Amino acid sequence: MKKERYSAKQLCAMYRNKYIAVNHISKNKDNLIIGAEIVKVYDTLDDCKQNIAEIKFLKAIHKDDYDIIYGDYRDYVTKRTSVDLDAFVPLVY
């Protein structure tokens, strides 16, 4: 059974302020995720730390095709790209 694929923008809207583990990642020219499958959602950074063995295991299996993003799209864009954002222009979710 095939899992649903979501863009980073969709993931951040669905899981605001959570940590989203994804795999089977495809990115656009700006290095933003345009398609990925959800592996697991962690509520807090402490949850990630408590599950570090699981995260390392999944990273070892999926290698560069695995990532954890934080559910704040503005934060995601500014940390993952060289795209300049205007703080006075709201991002559309």
Side-chain angles (χ1 to χ4, degrees):
M1 182 167 86
K2 188 172 179 178
K3 290 185 175 182
E4 291 290 322
R5 295 179 60 79
Y6 302 96
S7 69
K9 187 178 239 183
Q10 291 171 312
L11 291 167
C12 290
M14 291 165 45
Y15 299 105
R16 291 185 193 274
N17 303 319
K18 297 191 184 291
Y19 295 83
I20 311 144
V22 296
N23 69 356
H24 301 294
I25 301 167
S26 58
K27 296 179 180 179
N28 67 10
K29 64 179 178 58
D30 295 321
N31 200 35
L32 296 176
I33 294 173
I34 57 172
E37 295 176 358
I38 299 169
V39 176
K40 188 168 182 177
V41 178
Y42 301 96
D43 288 328
T44 65
L45 185 56
D46 284 337
D47 289 342
C48 290
K49 290 176 184 178
Q50 291 173 358
N51 290 288
I52 195 70
E54 174 183 61
I55 291 168
K56 287 181 179 181
F57 174 75
L58 291 169
K59 177 71 175 163
I61 291 172
H62 297 289
K63 308 217 182 315
D64 291 335
D65 203 28
Y66 179 82
D67 201 355
I68 296 178
I69 65 171
Y70 181 63
D72 177 328
Y73 192 67
R74 180 177 293 276
D75 179 69
Y76 173 78
V77 170
T78 57
K79 295 220 177 359
R80 301 295 176 105
T81 70
S82 59
V83 174
D84 293 326
L85 294 177
D86 184 340
F88 298 103
V89 177
L91 289 174
V92 177
Y93 288 103

